[in-house]
Amino acid sequence: MTTVLIADDQPLQRMGFRMLIEGTPGLTCVGEAGHGAQAVRMAAELRPDVVLMDIRMPGMDGLEATRRITAGGGRTHILIVTTFDLDEYAHDGLRAGASGFLLKDARPEEIVSGIHAVATGDAVVAPSLTRRLLDAYAHQVLAPAGAPVVEDPRLATLSGREREVLMAIGRGWNNAEIAERLVLTESTVKKHVGRVLAKIGARDRIQAVITAYDAGLVRTKP
């Protein structure tokens, strides 16, 4: 059973999420928080698998709550679900440690799928944001052309194949695409992805994307 904590300052929105969760086999709602500080306290007490986190809440917002929950090093994953289709929110949320970012107008089945994805260590980002997010992130963090490349210590333990897989993840490829382009089976790719995440200390694929950009493995075309 996947346990879910809802963090949203709108009672009607929390009710809607609770009805969706309780009506889905395999999911259960363990609590509701009306602001970020309450979400942090409840996450520490209840240790849910997933927190559905809004961004704009009174007092401590969802971004700071996400930072504090993920900094605790527990098993809880954060799925940000917000009204605002803004790149900076998605970027800041994922940088804070969230495993996914969806919009509240997503279909119920997309939200359920997102909960299952982040609960199992995968990641999900609203399709409208994915490419814009990666492109914007790359332009913000990449060093100028010709700058010396400093090897990221997180890459030291990766084999050559694992480095290729990390580069592929950084380009946004899914397992099927990686398997096709690297001529591997999907089951082999899945094993490689798991080892890569463990070695670089990434919670999920989104954090691996950020690592790939930070390390300079993936660069956008000028």
Side-chain angles (χ1 to χ4, degrees):
M1 181 69 70
T2 298
T3 56
V4 184
L5 171 66
I6 301 166
D8 195 298
D9 69 334
Q10 300 297 317
L12 289 178
Q13 187 69 65
R14 294 200 304 270
M15 181 185 300
F17 283 143
R18 177 179 279 276
M19 291 176 63
L20 174 62
I21 291 165
E22 296 294 359
T24 302
L27 299 182
T28 186
C29 180
V30 294
E32 300 178 19
H35 53 79
Q38 186 180 22
V40 173
R41 288 197 302 270
M42 293 182 71
E45 294 169 2
L46 301 172
R47 300 184 64 211
D49 297 306
V50 177
V51 177
L52 284 187
M53 183 76 75
D54 194 12
I55 289 181
R56 290 189 177 179
M57 292 186 288
M60 183 189 298
D61 65 16
L63 295 176
E64 180 59 26
T66 294
R67 290 187 191 95
R68 296 194 184 194
I69 292 171
T70 57
R75 68 176 189 177
T76 300
H77 297 274
I78 310 295
L79 175 57
I80 291 176
V81 185
T82 182
T83 305
F84 305 99
D85 183 9
L86 298 176
D87 293 343
E88 59 266 32
Y89 279 162
H91 176 268
D92 291 346
L94 298 174
R95 266 306 219 176
S99 298
F101 188 102
L102 293 176
L103 301 178
K104 287 183 179 178
D105 63 1
R107 297 190 303 273
E109 59 268 26
E110 291 176 326
I111 292 176
V112 169
S113 177
I115 292 172
H116 284 305
V118 301
T120 56
D122 208 339
V124 59
V125 179
S128 63
L129 287 169
T130 303
R131 179 47 53 193
R132 290 174 10 222
L133 177 65
L134 293 179
D135 287 347
Y137 182 80
H139 282 99
Q140 289 172 20
V141 303
L142 293 182
V149 176
V150 178
E151 179 74 356
D152 191 302
R154 290 172 294 183
L155 307 184
T157 60
L158 297 182
S159 68
R161 177 62 82 186
E162 289 165 351
R163 186 179 289 244
E164 289 179 326
V165 169
L166 178 57
M167 291 173 64
I169 293 173
R171 294 188 177 105
W173 299 352
N174 60 33
N175 286 357
E177 292 170 329
I178 296 174
E180 179 181 356
R181 300 189 191 203
L182 298 186
V183 195
L184 300 169
T185 65
E186 284 194 49
S187 61
T188 298
V189 169
K190 188 174 181 180
K191 292 177 183 177
H192 280 312
V193 169
R195 284 196 291 266
V196 167
L197 296 183
K199 287 184 176 182
I200 66 175
R203 292 167 60 88
D204 49 50
R205 293 175 82 103
I206 290 293
Q207 300 302 313
V209 168
I210 292 175
T211 297
Y213 278 120
D214 281 345
L217 287 181
V218 179
R219 295 178 180 272
T220 54
K221 296 178 180 178

